[in-house]
Amino acid sequence: MKPEDLQQTISLKGLTLAPSQVLGGVRLAPVIRKQVREDLRLTRRPYHEDVAAVQLDQKTAYYSYIPHAFIADWSNDGSPAVAYGTQIRRLQKGQKNSDGRVHDLGFMTARVMKKMRKREDRNRLRFLPMDLSLEGFLSLHFGGPDVIWEEYSRAAIRDGLSPRCEMSVPGRWIKGLEDALRVFEIHENQVGSLVFVGDALASAFIVPHPDDYRDLHETLLTDDYGELLYFYGLYAQENRLHPTDVDASRVASLEDLRREVNRVRHDWSTLHTLMSDNLLDCPVHNEMVYKMGPFQLQRFMTELNPKAENHIGEAIVRKNGTLEYLKSYRLSAAQCRRAYLLMQLADSNWSVEACAEKLSCTTHELIYRLEKAGFGHLFHQHVHDKVQSMLRNDPW
């Protein structure tokens, strides 16, 4: 896949944002698709195990709670695709699904699978939503130092960053989100929602078809969210921020009323776009995951800026650039800081001295920052002792 074929920004081409609905600290902005096509459908396949292990290669595995997989069905010629679960088919001899094996360990159940995405049929792909993006984030420079600098421990040279872990909370833990999903209206041709908690963008979720969204609406409760958004939900108050209402003084006919309604809708869309400006139309680093006929499954990460919001996610994009599927995750400040330090260190060829000079700090200050970020195991013990001694003498 050529780099120019990948999406450079997250653009809502072919989509509009409707007026949001607010309950407490939760705001949902409906996403409406102007032209609904039938050649791509998305459904879920639920899992009920306590934990899942996904084998990425012979030496690496991804462990998480995975509530479901998404099944993408598509057609190559633009004809309507039949959604998974709405068809009756005879299982061919020797045919298996790609969901792995389930093990009952007594105190817990576990599912073991291969690959984050796997083709199940000619025009069907199973992939693990959000885990696909989180795995890409966790694997960032996972191999560790590729130059044996004297500061790094033997374990860092041998095992890299293993084990690498991050923490998130399910949507059910965010105060008000479950109530909002239950009582808010689903619009005609609605295919997604922008989820705001405390008027901070928590997640963007878009699917190809309105029927798919009605089925997947409640999956927002099992999605992963950053820990910061959990606290936003606890303390956020209802925000009555909204554009100017319809001006009755300008309405003297049905045509005037139509014009005013269109103006208000445009103002709402502009407001939501501004509230999401750290994701929508922002430059992203993209990676091709799978080519699905006329569609591409990609995962992305916004440019890591420690002073701004940062998001990771995945998208399915049509050849003409239309966004068919989107799921995003807002990184916490700590997650962003860890990824930023890793990228700076890797860009400096894993040289601590060169990276410290690049970040305008001393080497012992950089090592201290890496230790606080959770990467202390990369360095020899005598390096930690030297840093602690220098900090006691000169606590900058």
Side-chain angles (χ1 to χ4, degrees):
M1 177 57 57
K2 299 178 181 179
E4 56 266 24
D5 292 335
L6 296 177
Q7 199 174 29
Q8 303 302 314
T9 61
I10 304 300
S11 173
L12 297 183
K13 181 179 179 180
L15 303 165
T16 57
L17 298 175
S20 60
Q21 303 173 81
V22 182
L23 179 64
V26 176
R27 178 191 296 270
L28 295 185
V31 181
I32 310 298
R33 193 175 294 281
K34 299 177 182 178
Q35 181 182 3
V36 177
R37 300 182 63 174
E38 305 280 347
D39 56 346
L40 175 65
R41 299 298 301 271
L42 207 62
T43 51
R44 63 175 164 176
R45 178 184 292 160
Y47 300 144
H48 306 288
E49 290 70 41
D50 300 312
V51 68
V54 184
Q55 184 178 351
L56 305 177
D57 54 44
Q58 293 183 350
K59 296 182 178 180
T60 312
Y62 172 90
Y63 298 88
S64 180
Y65 167 68
I66 301 179
H68 53 257
F70 278 173
I71 310 298
D73 289 273
W74 70 91
S75 65
N76 295 323
D77 57 2
S79 61
V82 180
Y84 172 80
T86 62
Q87 51 189 301
I88 300 176
R89 298 180 59 190
R90 185 182 298 277
L91 188 66
Q92 300 297 320
K93 186 177 180 180
Q95 184 176 351
K96 299 179 181 179
N97 63 33
S98 59
D99 284 350
R101 297 182 178 180
V102 176
H103 301 270
D104 188 349
L105 306 178
F107 63 95
M108 65 180 294
T109 55
R111 179 180 293 271
V112 180
M113 295 183 283
K114 291 185 178 181
K115 297 185 179 180
M116 285 287 172
R117 83 292 177 275
K118 189 171 184 179
R119 198 156 188 158
E120 293 190 337
D121 207 339
R122 183 178 179 181
N123 285 27
R124 173 175 297 156
L125 181 74
R126 183 272 290 158
F127 66 97
L128 304 178
M130 193 48 60
D131 296 283
L132 184 70
S133 305
L134 289 171
E135 182 267 321
F137 178 72
L138 290 172
S139 63
L140 191 67
H141 305 300
F142 184 75
D146 47 16
V147 178
I148 307 178
W149 299 97
E150 61 179 358
E151 295 92 348
Y152 295 113
S153 65
R154 291 182 179 178
I157 300 299
R158 182 183 65 247
D159 302 326
L161 302 181
S162 180
R164 177 88 193 277
C165 61
E166 295 288 353
M167 192 188 85
S168 60
V169 298
R172 293 187 187 278
W173 289 17
I174 296 180
K175 182 180 178 182
L177 181 58
E178 186 169 5
D179 292 335
L181 292 176
R182 186 181 70 252
V183 302
F184 283 173
E185 175 188 5
I186 296 181
H187 294 242
E188 183 180 359
N189 285 348
Q190 181 175 348
V191 295
S193 291
L194 302 185
V195 181
F196 298 89
V197 181
D199 278 342
L201 180 62
S203 174
F205 179 47
I206 298 171
V207 296
H209 196 278
D211 292 343
D212 298 344
Y213 182 73
R214 289 180 181 273
D215 179 52
L216 301 174
H217 180 65
E218 291 187 356
T219 61
L220 289 169
L221 295 177
T222 56
D223 282 349
D224 295 320
Y225 296 87
E227 185 181 5
L228 178 64
L229 297 165
Y230 167 74
F231 293 104
Y232 280 6
L234 288 180
Y235 301 117
Q237 301 296 320
E238 183 167 329
N239 192 331
R240 300 188 180 277
L241 177 68
H242 58 80
T244 306
D245 293 330
V246 172
D247 188 351
S249 63
R250 298 181 180 179
V251 178
S253 64
L254 288 177
E255 184 63 30
D256 294 338
L257 180 59
R258 185 178 296 110
R259 188 182 302 110
E260 275 295 291
V261 169
N262 289 336
R263 179 188 63 79
V264 172
R265 286 176 176 171
H266 179 267
D267 290 347
W268 271 109
S269 181
T270 302
L271 173 63
H272 294 144
T273 302
L274 289 173
M275 294 172 66
S276 312
D277 61 354
N278 286 300
L279 174 63
L280 302 181
D281 296 322
C282 278
V284 295
H285 301 284
N286 240 317
E287 178 187 356
M288 178 69 174
V289 177
Y290 204 85
K291 183 172 175 56
M292 306 158 43
F295 308 97
Q296 300 170 6
L297 174 61
Q298 307 172 7
R299 59 186 177 191
F300 64 87
M301 178 173 62
T302 58
E303 295 184 339
L304 290 176
N305 182 356
K307 298 181 180 179
E309 294 178 14
N310 295 276
H311 298 260
I312 60 173
E314 64 231 14
I316 296 178
V317 184
R318 194 180 290 271
K319 277 187 177 180
N320 63 3
T322 301
L323 187 66
E324 298 291 340
Y325 162 75
L326 174 68
K327 186 178 282 289
S328 71
Y329 173 93
R330 178 181 171 177
L331 298 172
S332 68
Q335 290 171 330
C336 174
R337 189 161 52 247
R338 284 191 286 271
Y340 177 77
L341 288 173
L342 272 182
M343 290 187 67
Q344 297 303 313
L345 194 58
D347 289 345
S348 302
N349 204 22
W350 294 90
S351 169
V352 177
E353 291 184 359
C355 185
E357 182 178 355
K358 184 177 181 180
L359 297 177
S360 302
C361 64
T362 64
T363 55
H364 69 269
E365 289 171 353
L366 176 59
I367 293 173
Y368 180 75
R369 289 171 63 182
L370 288 165
E371 182 179 352
K372 288 297 183 182
F375 300 125
H377 63 282
L378 294 177
F379 303 101
H380 283 295
Q381 184 60 45
H382 70 83
V383 175
H384 290 292
D385 295 340
K386 183 178 180 181
V387 168
Q388 293 298 326
S389 176
M390 296 185 69
L391 288 176
R392 284 194 296 268
N393 297 330
D394 182 20
W396 46 284

mmCIF file of all heavy atoms in Angstrom, residues 7-35:
data_model
loop_
_atom_site.group_PDB
_atom_site.id
_atom_site.type_symbol
_atom_site.label_atom_id
_atom_site.label_comp_id
_atom_site.label_asym_id
_atom_site.label_seq_id
_atom_site.Cartn_x
_atom_site.Cartn_y
_atom_site.Cartn_z
ATOM 1 N N GLN A 7 -5.048 7.493 4.655
ATOM 2 C CA GLN A 7 -5.734 8.716 5.054
ATOM 3 C C GLN A 7 -4.781 9.596 5.859
ATOM 4 O O GLN A 7 -4.202 9.162 6.852
ATOM 5 C CB GLN A 7 -6.959 8.343 5.886
ATOM 6 C CG GLN A 7 -8.004 9.427 5.985
ATOM 7 C CD GLN A 7 -9.247 8.938 6.693
ATOM 8 O OE1 GLN A 7 -9.186 8.059 7.533
ATOM 9 N NE2 GLN A 7 -10.385 9.501 6.356
ATOM 10 N N GLN A 8 -4.612 10.832 5.438
ATOM 11 C CA GLN A 8 -3.693 11.747 6.112
ATOM 12 C C GLN A 8 -4.367 12.497 7.252
ATOM 13 O O GLN A 8 -3.705 12.966 8.170
ATOM 14 C CB GLN A 8 -3.120 12.738 5.104
ATOM 15 C CG GLN A 8 -2.408 12.081 3.934
ATOM 16 C CD GLN A 8 -1.271 11.175 4.352
ATOM 17 O OE1 GLN A 8 -0.448 11.542 5.201
ATOM 18 N NE2 GLN A 8 -1.221 9.971 3.784
ATOM 19 N N THR A 9 -5.690 12.645 7.182
ATOM 20 C CA THR A 9 -6.469 13.287 8.247
ATOM 21 C C THR A 9 -7.767 12.512 8.434
ATOM 22 O O THR A 9 -8.180 11.745 7.562
ATOM 23 C CB THR A 9 -6.799 14.757 7.904
ATOM 24 O OG1 THR A 9 -7.583 14.789 6.705
ATOM 25 C CG2 THR A 9 -5.535 15.582 7.715
ATOM 26 N N ILE A 10 -8.418 12.722 9.572
ATOM 27 C CA ILE A 10 -9.734 12.136 9.825
ATOM 28 C C ILE A 10 -10.772 13.149 9.351
ATOM 29 O O ILE A 10 -11.012 14.160 10.004
ATOM 30 C CB ILE A 10 -9.932 11.810 11.317
ATOM 31 C CG1 ILE A 10 -8.815 10.880 11.793
ATOM 32 C CG2 ILE A 10 -11.293 11.171 11.540
ATOM 33 C CD1 ILE A 10 -8.745 9.565 11.066
ATOM 34 N N SER A 11 -11.359 12.875 8.195
ATOM 35 C CA SER A 11 -12.310 13.802 7.584
ATOM 36 C C SER A 11 -13.695 13.169 7.546
ATOM 37 O O SER A 11 -13.839 11.993 7.185
ATOM 38 C CB SER A 11 -11.861 14.163 6.166
ATOM 39 O OG SER A 11 -12.840 14.922 5.493
ATOM 40 N N LEU A 12 -14.712 13.939 7.906
ATOM 41 C CA LEU A 12 -16.093 13.447 7.894
ATOM 42 C C LEU A 12 -16.724 13.673 6.529
ATOM 43 O O LEU A 12 -17.804 14.254 6.408
ATOM 44 C CB LEU A 12 -16.909 14.144 8.990
ATOM 45 C CG LEU A 12 -16.459 13.904 10.434
ATOM 46 C CD1 LEU A 12 -17.414 14.589 11.407
ATOM 47 C CD2 LEU A 12 -16.362 12.421 10.747
ATOM 48 N N LYS A 13 -16.059 13.169 5.505
ATOM 49 C CA LYS A 13 -16.582 13.308 4.151
ATOM 50 C C LYS A 13 -17.858 12.484 4.004
ATOM 51 O O LYS A 13 -17.892 11.303 4.335
ATOM 52 C CB LYS A 13 -15.536 12.844 3.138
ATOM 53 C CG LYS A 13 -15.977 12.975 1.699
ATOM 54 C CD LYS A 13 -14.881 12.514 0.751
ATOM 55 C CE LYS A 13 -15.328 12.625 -0.697
ATOM 56 N NZ LYS A 13 -14.264 12.179 -1.645
ATOM 57 N N GLY A 14 -18.923 13.129 3.526
ATOM 58 C CA GLY A 14 -20.203 12.453 3.367
ATOM 59 C C GLY A 14 -21.020 12.346 4.646
ATOM 60 O O GLY A 14 -22.064 11.693 4.654
ATOM 61 N N LEU A 15 -20.559 12.990 5.720
ATOM 62 C CA LEU A 15 -21.238 12.923 7.020
ATOM 63 C C LEU A 15 -21.511 14.323 7.539
ATOM 64 O O LEU A 15 -20.793 15.275 7.222
ATOM 65 C CB LEU A 15 -20.376 12.157 8.041
ATOM 66 C CG LEU A 15 -19.984 10.730 7.658
ATOM 67 C CD1 LEU A 15 -18.853 10.238 8.544
ATOM 68 C CD2 LEU A 15 -21.178 9.793 7.785
ATOM 69 N N THR A 16 -22.545 14.467 8.340
ATOM 70 C CA THR A 16 -22.851 15.733 8.996
ATOM 71 C C THR A 16 -23.089 15.485 10.478
ATOM 72 O O THR A 16 -23.462 14.380 10.885
ATOM 73 C CB THR A 16 -24.105 16.402 8.389
ATOM 74 O OG1 THR A 16 -25.216 15.495 8.486
ATOM 75 C CG2 THR A 16 -23.882 16.758 6.930
ATOM 76 N N LEU A 17 -22.883 16.532 11.275
ATOM 77 C CA LEU A 17 -23.077 16.452 12.721
ATOM 78 C C LEU A 17 -24.385 17.150 13.085
ATOM 79 O O LEU A 17 -24.578 18.326 12.773
ATOM 80 C CB LEU A 17 -21.909 17.104 13.457
ATOM 81 C CG LEU A 17 -20.537 16.449 13.216
ATOM 82 C CD1 LEU A 17 -19.436 17.249 13.900
ATOM 83 C CD2 LEU A 17 -20.536 15.019 13.717
ATOM 84 N N ALA A 18 -25.280 16.429 13.744
ATOM 85 C CA ALA A 18 -26.570 16.977 14.145
ATOM 86 C C ALA A 18 -26.454 17.625 15.520
ATOM 87 O O ALA A 18 -25.470 17.430 16.236
ATOM 88 C CB ALA A 18 -27.624 15.858 14.166
ATOM 89 N N PRO A 19 -27.454 18.424 15.935
ATOM 90 C CA PRO A 19 -27.442 19.022 17.273
ATOM 91 C C PRO A 19 -27.291 17.954 18.357
ATOM 92 O O PRO A 19 -27.897 16.882 18.291
ATOM 93 C CB PRO A 19 -28.798 19.724 17.363
ATOM 94 C CG PRO A 19 -29.143 20.040 15.942
ATOM 95 C CD PRO A 19 -28.597 18.899 15.129
ATOM 96 N N SER A 20 -26.468 18.255 19.344
ATOM 97 C CA SER A 20 -26.150 17.275 20.383
ATOM 98 C C SER A 20 -27.250 17.214 21.433
ATOM 99 O O SER A 20 -28.095 18.105 21.558
ATOM 100 C CB SER A 20 -24.820 17.634 21.045
ATOM 101 O OG SER A 20 -24.881 18.923 21.636
ATOM 102 N N GLN A 21 -27.216 16.125 22.198
ATOM 103 C CA GLN A 21 -28.110 15.926 23.336
ATOM 104 C C GLN A 21 -27.241 15.805 24.581
ATOM 105 O O GLN A 21 -26.194 15.147 24.549
ATOM 106 C CB GLN A 21 -28.949 14.661 23.128
ATOM 107 C CG GLN A 21 -29.747 14.691 21.833
ATOM 108 C CD GLN A 21 -30.436 13.377 21.531
ATOM 109 O OE1 GLN A 21 -31.500 13.079 22.062
ATOM 110 N NE2 GLN A 21 -29.830 12.568 20.673
ATOM 111 N N VAL A 22 -27.670 16.437 25.674
ATOM 112 C CA VAL A 22 -26.846 16.541 26.879
ATOM 113 C C VAL A 22 -27.593 15.984 28.065
ATOM 114 O O VAL A 22 -28.784 16.262 28.269
ATOM 115 C CB VAL A 22 -26.443 18.013 27.151
ATOM 116 C CG1 VAL A 22 -25.546 18.109 28.382
ATOM 117 C CG2 VAL A 22 -25.741 18.611 25.937
ATOM 118 N N LEU A 23 -26.897 15.176 28.864
ATOM 119 C CA LEU A 23 -27.419 14.667 30.124
ATOM 120 C C LEU A 23 -26.287 14.683 31.134
ATOM 121 O O LEU A 23 -25.327 13.918 31.019
ATOM 122 C CB LEU A 23 -27.972 13.250 29.973
ATOM 123 C CG LEU A 23 -28.533 12.615 31.252
ATOM 124 C CD1 LEU A 23 -29.756 13.391 31.745
ATOM 125 C CD2 LEU A 23 -28.886 11.153 31.021
ATOM 126 N N GLY A 24 -26.375 15.578 32.129
ATOM 127 C CA GLY A 24 -25.287 15.707 33.092
ATOM 128 C C GLY A 24 -24.028 16.161 32.385
ATOM 129 O O GLY A 24 -24.016 17.140 31.649
ATOM 130 N N GLY A 25 -22.943 15.410 32.604
ATOM 131 C CA GLY A 25 -21.677 15.758 31.970
ATOM 132 C C GLY A 25 -21.450 15.067 30.646
ATOM 133 O O GLY A 25 -20.375 15.197 30.053
ATOM 134 N N VAL A 26 -22.456 14.324 30.143
ATOM 135 C CA VAL A 26 -22.307 13.559 28.899
ATOM 136 C C VAL A 26 -23.029 14.274 27.765
ATOM 137 O O VAL A 26 -24.191 14.656 27.901
ATOM 138 C CB VAL A 26 -22.858 12.128 29.052
ATOM 139 C CG1 VAL A 26 -22.788 11.379 27.725
ATOM 140 C CG2 VAL A 26 -22.088 11.371 30.128
ATOM 141 N N ARG A 27 -22.335 14.464 26.666
ATOM 142 C CA ARG A 27 -22.905 15.068 25.468
ATOM 143 C C ARG A 27 -22.674 14.111 24.302
ATOM 144 O O ARG A 27 -21.547 13.677 24.065
ATOM 145 C CB ARG A 27 -22.241 16.416 25.181
ATOM 146 C CG ARG A 27 -22.751 17.111 23.907
ATOM 147 C CD ARG A 27 -21.873 18.302 23.544
ATOM 148 N NE ARG A 27 -21.915 19.337 24.555
ATOM 149 C CZ ARG A 27 -22.776 20.348 24.573
ATOM 150 N NH1 ARG A 27 -23.658 20.470 23.594
ATOM 151 N NH2 ARG A 27 -22.735 21.250 25.535
ATOM 152 N N LEU A 28 -23.739 13.778 23.581
ATOM 153 C CA LEU A 28 -23.638 12.940 22.386
ATOM 154 C C LEU A 28 -24.030 13.762 21.167
ATOM 155 O O LEU A 28 -25.125 14.325 21.120
ATOM 156 C CB LEU A 28 -24.545 11.709 22.491
ATOM 157 C CG LEU A 28 -24.236 10.673 23.573
ATOM 158 C CD1 LEU A 28 -25.170 9.476 23.440
ATOM 159 C CD2 LEU A 28 -22.794 10.207 23.496
ATOM 160 N N ALA A 29 -23.136 13.830 20.196
ATOM 161 C CA ALA A 29 -23.415 14.533 18.944
ATOM 162 C C ALA A 29 -23.674 13.492 17.867
ATOM 163 O O ALA A 29 -22.752 12.760 17.472
ATOM 164 C CB ALA A 29 -22.235 15.421 18.557
ATOM 165 N N PRO A 30 -24.925 13.365 17.379
ATOM 166 C CA PRO A 30 -25.232 12.358 16.358
ATOM 167 C C PRO A 30 -24.500 12.645 15.044
ATOM 168 O O PRO A 30 -24.342 13.793 14.641
ATOM 169 C CB PRO A 30 -26.752 12.494 16.178
ATOM 170 C CG PRO A 30 -27.229 13.207 17.407
ATOM 171 C CD PRO A 30 -26.112 14.106 17.811
ATOM 172 N N VAL A 31 -24.056 11.570 14.398
ATOM 173 C CA VAL A 31 -23.417 11.660 13.090
ATOM 174 C C VAL A 31 -24.391 11.091 12.063
ATOM 175 O O VAL A 31 -24.834 9.950 12.178
ATOM 176 C CB VAL A 31 -22.091 10.883 13.054
ATOM 177 C CG1 VAL A 31 -21.434 11.015 11.683
ATOM 178 C CG2 VAL A 31 -21.142 11.379 14.148
ATOM 179 N N ILE A 32 -24.738 11.903 11.062
ATOM 180 C CA ILE A 32 -25.726 11.535 10.056
ATOM 181 C C ILE A 32 -25.026 11.291 8.722
ATOM 182 O O ILE A 32 -24.186 12.096 8.309
ATOM 183 C CB ILE A 32 -26.787 12.639 9.875
ATOM 184 C CG1 ILE A 32 -27.356 13.079 11.248
ATOM 185 C CG2 ILE A 32 -27.895 12.180 8.942
ATOM 186 C CD1 ILE A 32 -28.065 11.985 11.997
ATOM 187 N N ARG A 33 -25.374 10.183 8.060
ATOM 188 C CA ARG A 33 -24.810 9.904 6.746
ATOM 189 C C ARG A 33 -25.765 10.404 5.667
ATOM 190 O O ARG A 33 -26.941 10.018 5.645
ATOM 191 C CB ARG A 33 -24.539 8.409 6.578
ATOM 192 C CG ARG A 33 -23.679 8.097 5.364
ATOM 193 C CD ARG A 33 -23.315 6.617 5.281
ATOM 194 N NE ARG A 33 -22.464 6.164 6.358
ATOM 195 C CZ ARG A 33 -21.162 6.353 6.442
ATOM 196 N NH1 ARG A 33 -20.548 7.049 5.484
ATOM 197 N NH2 ARG A 33 -20.469 5.899 7.464
ATOM 198 N N LYS A 34 -25.259 11.247 4.774
ATOM 199 C CA LYS A 34 -26.111 11.848 3.749
ATOM 200 C C LYS A 34 -26.607 10.810 2.753
ATOM 201 O O LYS A 34 -27.777 10.796 2.383
ATOM 202 C CB LYS A 34 -25.331 12.942 3.017
ATOM 203 C CG LYS A 34 -24.871 14.096 3.902
ATOM 204 C CD LYS A 34 -24.047 15.095 3.106
ATOM 205 C CE LYS A 34 -23.540 16.230 3.987
ATOM 206 N NZ LYS A 34 -22.697 17.192 3.226
ATOM 207 N N GLN A 35 -25.709 9.959 2.303
ATOM 208 C CA GLN A 35 -26.062 8.934 1.313
ATOM 209 C C GLN A 35 -25.678 7.566 1.867
ATOM 210 O O GLN A 35 -24.494 7.249 2.006
ATOM 211 C CB GLN A 35 -25.354 9.184 -0.014
ATOM 212 C CG GLN A 35 -25.701 8.168 -1.102
ATOM 213 C CD GLN A 35 -24.938 8.414 -2.387
ATOM 214 O OE1 GLN A 35 -24.110 9.307 -2.465
ATOM 215 N NE2 GLN A 35 -25.210 7.609 -3.407
#
